[in-house]
Amino acid sequence: MSLKSFIEVYGTFVAGITLFVFLLIFANNFASTANLLNVLKQVSFLSILAIGFTFALITSELDLSFANVCSLAAVVIGSLISTDTAWPAAVAAGIGVGIAAGLLNGLLVTVLKVPSLISTLGTASVANGLAFMITGGVAFVGRWDPNFLFLGRGKIGPVPVIILITVVLFFIALILSTQTRTGVHLQATGENEEAARRSGINTRNCKILGLTLSGLAAGLTAVFLVANLSSAAPQMAGDFLLNGIAATLLGMTMFTPAKPNILGTFVGALIIVCLSNGLILLGAQYYIQDIMLGIIIIVSVAVSASVLKRAAFAL
Amino acid sequence: MKTWKTLIAAAGIAGVTLGAGQASAFELGVVAFQMSAETQARCANTVGEEAAKLGWEAQVLNSNGALETHASQLDNLIQKGVDGLILCMSKPVQFDAQFEAAKSAGIPVITISSGASPHTLFDVTPNEYIMAAEAAIYLLGTINYEGNVLLQRFESNTGARIRGSILDAVLVENPTVKIVGEHSMARTKSWQDDVRNGMSALILQNAGNFDGVWASFDGQALIIDDLLKESGLNKGDVSLVSIDGGQEVYRRIKDPESMMTATIAIPFENMAKSAVTMMNQIAVEGKAKEELVPGPYLFIPATLVDKSNVDEFLK
């Protein structure tokens, strides 16, 4: 592997490790067990959502609705629990909302041929409206079953449960995307839809599946978010849209350059959360974080575009 | 390579803040829930300035109105091991876990206009009930306790919700004043659009059929004032009353073309100063909280401002 290829494949990863080492040395308390668990807990919520988004992107479709769908699923869970519905049923309903929204996105893209950029923006708006309709803008708080809260803020020993759940979900997603026939079909659909279709792959179903997995991830994240914050509000996942996209784009600059990949997304989420946590530990004011996130998105897209351009010329 | 350089630069920028972060004797974390609201920005900035006067290192963070971001920022500041936390317009119920963690870590927390929590020292706040009654009765007085009013509510903020509840109580006792239209602002991240869209529809729908407008806070009132002017109304046609205070509101009370009649001036700067003073006395000088503030609230008086006394407030 040439140095250039090494940098393309592992450059961001090495930069991430450099950042990590920098924070270990210079940011007080960054290396403490409590803080590292805190970082991993924050990564958990973001990475579950971003991994879902990655599945949509693997099939070359954008899902700009995942944050709003997550908020909608959260308020559905909140409204059901606040009306004394058993929490497992509320959780199932929240996940169901995510799946339904993802499926709807998939059908809009494949049946009605509405570009995913537009259709998922529409779904995002509908989800937002429904969330406000359910709540009237007021957050659901209180009357949470401790067993339900355990999903978001419980611990096994010193380790938050959400971290363990994320590890399991991460490996399931990784295996699904790289080690199964379905994963190969999803990748093929995203890389060259026409070629995939001519090879006998049902690209329509692949796109529906990719977007549905994104919705499923939004529903799952909603469950853990509500359990963590013991409340449900219409825009509770608002900041996840930009962070989730940033994590995925950052992930596209490593391991399989210019291609969305699960491992890359996870590392991307880790870098974003470490940066966010590190900046606070270093005493940076609030606007620095937004500036850094913007820079990451711009650079990630620029790097991916550059790799893609060279690949196109090579062909 | 670009990604590498950028991330290293990012780490460098973060490092610039390091010296300041480690030099201070007392580190204060300041978090505003939504700094796009002027009152929260005034509150957080004043806390930062007052802390700087004491030689403290104040790190101001903005949660962008997102629950998960607020929770993460609080978690990160707790991990950083700040010496104290002052939170502007936070939500004690939603962030109960973070407040409890701060208490366990021995970090004193003072909130401003947030509500009480068993895990915080106290909440610095105006008496919402008194202010709300004063504003409501003032509005009714300007229309001679007779006629129709439009309302702009905000239910997801405790203070604004209390203001609405008290207005309702006043209206129950004054049945000659009728609500002909009301809109409840729900979108905290894009609240200006929400208010503009909701109220423009109501103003059009009720043109010529209302005598007064009540807004739950001044940011809403400024938008409504513009809409009233756009609809061709002149000073004296309708009375617009709200709560919060601020230089722009005072200018409009004096402006011969504005519908703004009165506001209740909440001394956010004084509240912020009190919070810092109290933090200093408790966390640095070692005074007992009970000596300074016996209950969960430190009430700061607010003043009704109309044309009779607006000059005293205009800078």
Side-chain angles (χ1 to χ4, degrees):
Chain A
M1 183 183 266
S2 67
L3 180 64
K4 192 176 175 187
S5 303
F6 179 84
I7 290 171
E8 272 181 8
V9 177
Y10 298 110
T12 308
F13 184 65
V14 172
I17 290 179
T18 308
L19 171 71
F20 191 78
V21 172
F22 176 88
L23 294 173
L24 280 176
I25 297 168
F26 293 109
N28 286 340
N29 295 339
F30 182 78
S32 70
T33 308
N35 188 56
L36 292 176
L37 289 172
N38 169 47
V39 165
L40 286 175
K41 186 177 176 184
Q42 289 174 24
V43 169
S44 298
F45 300 111
L46 177 59
S47 61
I48 294 173
L49 255 187
I51 283 171
F53 176 71
T54 306
F55 271 111
L57 209 59
I58 283 174
T59 66
S60 247
E61 299 298 342
L62 274 175
D63 180 5
L64 298 182
S65 67
F66 66 82
N68 284 4
V69 168
C70 179
S71 296
L72 173 62
V75 300
V76 166
I77 294 166
S79 69
L80 290 174
I81 290 182
S82 68
T83 51
D84 294 330
T85 305
W87 71 265
V91 164
I95 294 171
V97 165
I99 293 172
L103 191 59
L104 175 66
N105 282 333
L107 293 173
L108 289 172
V109 169
T110 56
V111 177
L112 296 182
K113 307 289 182 198
V114 183
S116 55
L117 177 74
I118 307 297
S119 58
T120 58
L121 267 180
T123 312
S125 182
V126 171
N128 195 37
L130 289 173
F132 279 108
M133 188 178 85
I134 292 168
T135 60
V138 182
F140 290 108
V141 290
R143 282 202 289 172
W144 305 101
D145 188 310
N147 293 320
F148 170 67
L149 294 181
F150 185 74
L151 294 173
R153 52 170 80 169
K155 288 181 180 176
I156 295 178
V159 182
V161 173
I162 180 66
I163 295 176
L164 303 174
I165 293 172
T166 304
V167 169
V168 172
L169 291 175
F170 166 74
F171 279 109
I172 291 173
L174 192 63
I175 290 166
L176 175 63
S177 70
T178 60
Q179 306 296 318
T180 65
R181 181 184 288 268
T182 304
V184 171
H185 287 187
L186 291 174
Q187 309 259 10
T189 301
E191 282 169 24
N192 189 330
E193 187 179 352
E194 185 56 23
R197 194 182 61 76
R198 285 170 186 262
S199 306
I201 295 171
N202 188 332
T203 56
R204 188 178 120 161
N205 283 356
C206 283
K207 284 176 180 285
I208 292 174
L209 178 63
L211 287 160
T212 305
L213 287 172
S214 182
L216 167 65
L220 280 170
T221 309
V223 173
F224 304 126
L225 268 185
V226 174
N228 183 42
L229 296 171
S230 64
S231 67
Q235 289 180 320
M236 69 188 303
D239 273 9
F240 277 132
L241 180 61
L242 198 58
N243 288 344
I245 290 173
T248 308
L249 293 178
L250 199 54
M252 286 173 65
T253 64
M254 57 187 130
F255 307 128
T256 54
K259 290 180 188 172
N261 65 92
I262 301 299
L263 180 59
T265 296
F266 182 78
V267 176
L270 195 58
I271 291 173
I272 286 169
V273 172
C274 279
L275 191 64
S276 161
N277 174 265
L279 287 173
I280 288 178
L281 296 185
L282 288 166
Q285 303 295 340
Y286 62 94
Y287 40 83
I288 298 288
Q289 204 163 310
D290 289 338
I291 293 170
M292 299 308 304
L293 187 62
I295 291 172
I296 284 176
I297 290 175
I298 293 167
V299 173
S300 307
V301 173
V303 169
S304 292
S306 161
V307 173
L308 268 179
K309 195 176 172 185
R310 262 185 286 114
F313 276 120
L315 288 173
Chain B
M1 194 65 186
K2 278 182 184 173
T3 315
W4 249 41
K5 284 182 179 173
T6 306
L7 283 170
I8 291 167
I13 290 173
V16 169
T17 61
L18 183 66
Q22 289 182 332
S24 62
F26 190 93
E27 282 187 292
L28 180 69
V30 186
V31 190
F33 187 67
Q34 172 62 290
M35 276 184 85
S36 73
E38 185 199 327
T39 51
Q40 299 199 30
R42 281 168 58 194
C43 185
N45 290 335
T46 306
V47 170
E49 288 158 14
E50 289 299 306
K53 285 180 192 169
L54 291 170
W56 295 356
E57 177 60 31
Q59 184 176 10
V60 180
L61 301 177
N62 172 21
S63 304
N64 294 318
L67 293 176
E68 177 53 25
T69 304
H70 198 64
S72 297
Q73 289 174 338
L74 294 178
D75 282 333
N76 290 341
L77 287 170
I78 292 164
Q79 292 308 322
K80 185 185 180 188
V82 291
D83 300 305
L85 280 169
I86 294 182
L87 311 177
C88 302
M89 292 74 170
S90 187
K91 296 172 187 297
V93 177
Q94 283 90 332
F95 306 112
D96 183 60
Q98 281 72 28
F99 288 8
E100 195 173 358
K103 190 178 186 181
S104 301
I107 299 171
V109 180
I110 295 176
T111 57
I112 298 174
S113 276
S114 303
S117 162
H119 309 303
T120 60
L121 292 176
F122 53 87
D123 186 46
V124 185
T125 182
N127 190 320
E128 290 286 356
Y129 298 90
I130 293 173
M131 289 195 310
E134 220 175 345
I137 291 164
Y138 188 93
L139 173 67
L140 268 55
T142 61
I143 61 172
N144 292 320
Y145 294 87
E146 196 172 18
N148 298 328
V149 290
L150 295 180
L151 310 184
Q152 172 63 62
R153 298 182 187 268
F154 179 30
E155 299 295 306
S156 66
N157 174 272
T158 311
R161 189 168 61 247
I162 290 170
R163 296 170 192 178
S165 304
I166 295 295
L167 174 75
D168 290 337
V170 169
L171 289 175
V172 166
E173 295 300 324
N174 293 276
T176 47
V177 177
K178 290 193 168 45
I179 301 170
V180 290
E182 58 184 308
H183 175 252
S184 189
M185 174 193 126
R187 293 162 174 80
T188 50
K189 285 175 83 72
S190 56
W191 63 269
Q192 291 94 337
D193 270 350
D194 195 7
V195 171
R196 172 165 271 273
N197 295 341
M199 286 307 285
S200 61
L202 285 179
I203 289 167
L204 275 173
Q205 198 176 24
N206 294 284
N209 187 38
F210 63 97
D211 311 286
V213 183
W214 177 91
S216 69
F217 66 88
D218 281 342
Q220 296 175 330
L222 295 176
I223 294 167
I224 295 166
D225 189 37
D226 291 339
L227 291 171
L228 293 171
K229 278 188 273 185
E230 284 166 23
S231 72
L233 291 167
N234 297 305
K235 194 149 196 127
D237 290 341
V238 297
S239 173
L240 174 60
V241 171
S242 181
I243 296 173
D244 271 351
Q247 288 302 307
E248 179 58 21
V249 185
Y250 306 146
R251 274 192 289 277
R252 295 209 188 191
I253 288 172
K254 207 163 176 179
D255 182 351
E257 290 182 357
S258 166
M259 256 49 67
M260 197 81 214
T261 311
T263 186
I264 308 285
I266 301 177
F268 286 104
E269 284 78 7
N270 290 345
M271 289 159 63
K273 284 176 189 173
S274 294
V276 175
T277 304
M278 294 292 179
M279 181 64 79
N280 188 36
Q281 291 182 335
I282 294 167
V284 178
E285 295 171 6
K287 287 188 182 164
K289 176 253 170 190
E290 287 71 23
E291 277 180 43
L292 302 166
V293 185
Y297 293 105
L298 173 64
F299 289 115
I300 304 286
T303 314
L304 190 139
V305 179
D306 66 359
K307 63 182 178 186
S308 67
N309 63 346
V310 69
D311 288 334
E312 295 169 28
F313 289 83
L314 264 172
K315 284 178 186 166

